[in-house]
Amino acid sequence: MIADDDEKWLADDIAAVKQNAFYMQRAIDSNNLKDALKFSAQMLSELRTSKLSPHKYYELYMRVFNELGTLEIFFKEETGRGCSIAELYELVQHAGNILPRLYLLCTIGSVYIKSKDVTTTDILKDLVEMCRAVQHPLRGLFLRSYLAQVTRDKLPSIGSELAGDGDAQMNALEFVLQNFTEMNKLWVRMQHQGSSREKEKREKERNELRDLVGKNLHVLSQLEGVDLGIYRDTVLPRILEQVVNCKDELAQCYLMDCIIQVFPDDFHLQTLDVLLGACPQLQPSVDIKTVLSGLMERLSNYAASSVEALPNFLQVEAFSKFNYAIGKVVEAQVDLPAAGSVTLYLFLLNFTLHVYSDRLDYVDQVLGSCVTQLAATGKLCDDKAAKQIVAFLSAPLEKYNNVVTILKLTNYPRVMEYLDHETNKAMTIIIVQSVLKNNTHIATADEVDALFELAKGLIKDFDGTIDNEIDEEDFQEEQNFVARLVHKLYSDDPEEMSKIIFTVRKHILTGGPKRLPLTIPPLVFSALKLIRRLRGGDENPFGDDASATPKRILQLLSETVEALSDVSAPDLALRLYLQCAQAANDCELETVTYEFFTKAYLLYEEEISDSKAQVTALRLIIGTLQRMRIFNVENRDILTHKATGYSARLLRKPDQCRAVYECAHLFWTDECEKLKDGERVVLCLKRAQRIADTVQKMTNASRGTSSTGSVALYVELLNKYLYFLEKGNTEVTGDTIKSLAELIRSETKKVESGAESFINSTLRYIEFQRQQDGGMSEKYEKIKMEWFE
Amino acid sequence: MVLVLALGDLHVPHRAADLPPKFKSMLVPGKIQHIICTGNLCIKEIHDYLKTICPDLHIVRGEFDEDARYPENKTLTIGQFKLGLCHGHQVIPWGDLDSLAMLQRQLGVDILVTGHTHQFTAYKHEGGVVINPGSATGAYSSINQDVNPSFVLMDIDGFRAVVYVYELIDGEVKVDKIEFKKPPTSNSAP
């Protein structure tokens, strides 16, 4: 197996290196220059191998490199002992093979530079030229890498003690540039070695070596004297020249990225034209998106971290340059999948949001470019692209945290058009969540209109088709978002608020039967709040027919709640009618209030058939009616009569009894003398008692079953009598109460009723009231009686 | 020391988007031992949210609640107090103290917690104490014109109950407290 052989060869080579190094070290220790050179040359010969993979070769190289360090020190000591550099140079030339010779020359050369005997320039020039003799890609790369490593600390770089003059800096620059150029050529040549079947393997191997080449760029960035001017005039053009001319995809990708990462951001900003201009010249297979997105991301971060740099962005017109460049790329790459182009635009958008956050027109432009691109590809079907678009649309949301700003972007809804239905809804929910989280208040009808247009995926069915697959719970959760959103729509101006309500209604009514029960309630309550506000304010003397009045809004609500009856939500509709009735009552609109009651009653009669639902609905009717003050006698009578009728016709007797005695309250309004009809109160209570009697009979008949119901009813009635007694109802006589009490007492003697504690607490209450001063005890005198346990 | 959170009438999402942020930041999970809720949440999301604050959640049915399975009323014992819970739309006239007193006698409880009016009240009468925690979201009410968000926290320690009411007025949370003691004899009211 090749891999095993590789290991074996490496092991052999390392052994040989070790051995020669040992002898070399021995020679060094005895100051034997000749032998030192001999053994070092032998050691270096191991690097002549062609058999190793780059990975293994690197290992071998490192071993040798470490040993060469010792040699370098020895050379330096030798020069101290009188051996001149020139002599050393001479001696080294005798090494048999070119590769060892060159390594030794580089080593000595670096000693030479440090000694400052000869000008650095000449040595560097010599060395970089001489290395040309090795054209084998792998060996050449490592040789030049060695050259770079060993001269590194002898170049005038930032932070080093070697401050050079202008010339020295330029020469160092030239040296590194040339070394880089040669190394890149070698590296690219590796691609063409060997058979075409092994292409992938070669690319992998090349990737392992890429940092050797990239290192040079890093060194360049650290050189002293490489200011913006030099960078722009010399460094960048030379690098780009090599990058473009090498016509190698791997190299171009890597090196472009290297340039972007290694040189300062403000350099990039100032040379944007040049960088972007190189992009179209690269090989078609190069993924320009990565290059551009890398650059934009860096510059975004730059803008985010240093506010002082922002004006520069404007000055160099960074936005239009990027916009243009991206446009070109997208144009050129016809096969670019939707996800890819959206990603590019996403990066541009992020860039724009960071750098030009107040330029909504730029943001809108980016959105527009994306729309144009999407238009070419048609509606999206793949998840990846959909995800990218969601990220794309979320970016401005997160940046501005204000939906109202988003609504100003004319292209925003157009981008949303390209999402499939599910993703559209998901995006809408993200938008709504943003409103809720940031507590954004949307204050004009136009903005509301725009927002609900944007959210139409959630508000109504897609293209008229009903989505049958959706999970019930998920659907409700979605619609609850819409409901919550309604409460964030608010204007201080009642006229505007009224317009908002009309707008919301317009949109909600397109929602279809499943949505209405979830979206109509918040609309109703929002409107009721407005009505309360209008009541509090002054009547607008100049108001025309169209202006907001409680009456008009109530009319609207009446029609709106009616829509619920088409979708069989009668319980909800009844409750909403009663709420509206109360509001109408407070606005002193008698006819309107009566209308609402009529509707509620009709629903009760026709739609609410479940017994339990009837009990609750009736309670709400009675409770609401009890609070009405606006009715004339006739209307009041009609409604009350109906209510008591319903009460008596509930299915279960105990429910009947309770509902009837609750109706007693309809005949007694504490604050209003006119509405106190003591007689009819007592009539109700007596009627309730008769129903309780039938319950009692039924219980007695089926002895053995639990019989708590009837006694409890009597005690409740007793309490009600006491209530009206206290309120001053003269029709409540002592006899009535006493006989009821008697009844209770005799019933409880017969059997465990379960109502003992209620009875006791009632008795305790009676006693307590009797102790009170003034009028209360007088009233209770009437019902003084004996009661023994 | 047993902390009991009493709240209700949130009416989410019919009448309010959510609890006020200032309330939400106060209601930290793990601090409260019981929650008693007067009803009208109205949706499951709120039920789940309350459960995260405290798993021992007692709730009764309001007329707008989505879940029809909540009971009409409930009683439970905490410390030396018997508590009763009922939404209040069942008691007519709505908000009438004497009618509520009757319910209290009927349930046989020391403290009756009830809602519906969206108005905080805490008062003593012959039969015990009636507490209405108001509306935790400040939701619209046809009964009460001026609603501020409010809720109640009860600290029950044996025979003593301290009732803290938290009200959000003009953006600030105001706290008030009332104390009730129950005499140690079993039959009488506090």
Side-chain angles (χ1 to χ4, degrees), chain B residues 21-158:
Chain B
K22 286 200 169 167
F23 280 1
K24 275 190 127 162
S25 59
M26 289 169 70
L27 296 174
V28 175
K31 295 262 180 73
I32 291 164
Q33 279 75 53
H34 308 278
I35 300 185
I36 52 183
C37 181
T38 55
N40 274 342
L41 295 180
C42 310
I43 50 179
K44 188 172 167 295
E45 276 105 306
I46 300 294
H47 183 112
D48 293 341
Y49 164 71
L50 289 176
K51 276 240 150 180
T52 65
I53 300 176
C54 166
D56 191 36
L57 171 64
H58 303 272
I59 178 165
V60 288
R61 185 153 174 263
E63 80 275 31
F64 279 96
D65 271 313
E66 183 184 78
D67 192 339
R69 293 168 302 174
Y70 299 146
E72 292 291 312
N73 54 49
K74 207 167 185 191
T75 55
L76 62 152
T77 307
I78 296 176
Q80 295 294 331
F81 288 87
K82 263 194 89 179
L83 289 93
L85 187 58
C86 177
H87 176 251
H89 68 271
Q90 302 94 329
V91 178
I92 290 167
W94 291 336
D96 182 278
L97 303 176
D98 296 312
S99 298
L100 286 170
M102 170 177 131
L103 176 63
Q104 184 149 12
R105 292 194 283 274
Q106 194 170 3
L107 294 175
V109 295
D110 305 309
I111 301 177
L112 176 65
V113 180
T114 174
H116 189 54
T117 61
H118 298 205
Q119 170 77 46
F120 164 72
T121 38
Y123 76 99
K124 264 183 75 158
H125 62 98
E126 181 278 335
V129 176
V130 175
I131 293 176
N132 184 332
S135 161
T137 54
Y140 170 88
S141 162
S142 52
I143 300 169
N144 183 5
Q145 305 283 323
D146 211 352
V147 183
N148 287 317
S150 64
F151 68 87
V152 156
L153 204 57
M154 288 190 277
D155 183 355
I156 296 182
D157 192 3

Side-chain angles (χ1 to χ4, degrees), chain A residues 642-662:
Chain A
K642 274 265 172 191
T644 43
Y646 296 151
S647 304
R649 287 197 297 277
L650 285 171
L651 182 63
R652 292 197 208 91
K653 294 280 178 201
D655 290 333
Q656 277 180 17
C657 175
R658 292 193 171 100
V660 169
Y661 76 58
E662 277 160 10

Side-chain angles (χ1 to χ4, degrees), chain A residues 494-548:
Chain A
E495 282 296 329
E496 191 63 36
M497 188 66 208
S498 172
K499 287 198 195 123
I500 289 177
I501 290 182
F502 275 86
T503 312
V504 174
R505 178 176 182 267
K506 178 184 82 178
H507 285 275
I508 281 179
L509 286 182
T510 62
K514 279 182 78 182
R515 290 188 177 79
L516 292 179
L518 298 162
T519 52
I520 284 185
L523 174 65
V524 170
F525 285 106
S526 193
L528 289 176
K529 276 197 259 197
L530 176 60
I531 290 173
R532 191 168 273 168
R533 263 206 287 164
L534 286 171
R535 260 178 52 221
D538 301 314
E539 195 65 32
N540 181 359
F542 300 104
D544 55 30
D545 285 336
S547 67

Side-chain angles (χ1 to χ4, degrees), chain A residues 323-381:
Chain A
N323 201 16
Y324 178 75
I326 288 175
K328 284 260 150 248
V329 167
V330 166
E331 212 180 278
Q333 298 195 354
V334 277
D335 297 331
L336 190 62
S341 60
V342 177
T343 314
L344 253 181
Y345 282 116
L346 176 58
F347 276 108
L348 180 59
L349 185 62
N350 276 327
F351 174 75
T352 315
L353 288 171
H354 273 116
V355 178
Y356 304 98
S357 55
D358 51 345
R359 293 292 299 263
L360 283 183
D361 57 328
Y362 279 175
V363 178
D364 210 15
Q365 237 185 312
V366 179
L367 291 170
S369 308
C370 190
V371 169
T372 319
Q373 182 53 27
L374 287 171
T377 53
K379 202 130 193 167
L380 297 170
C381 304

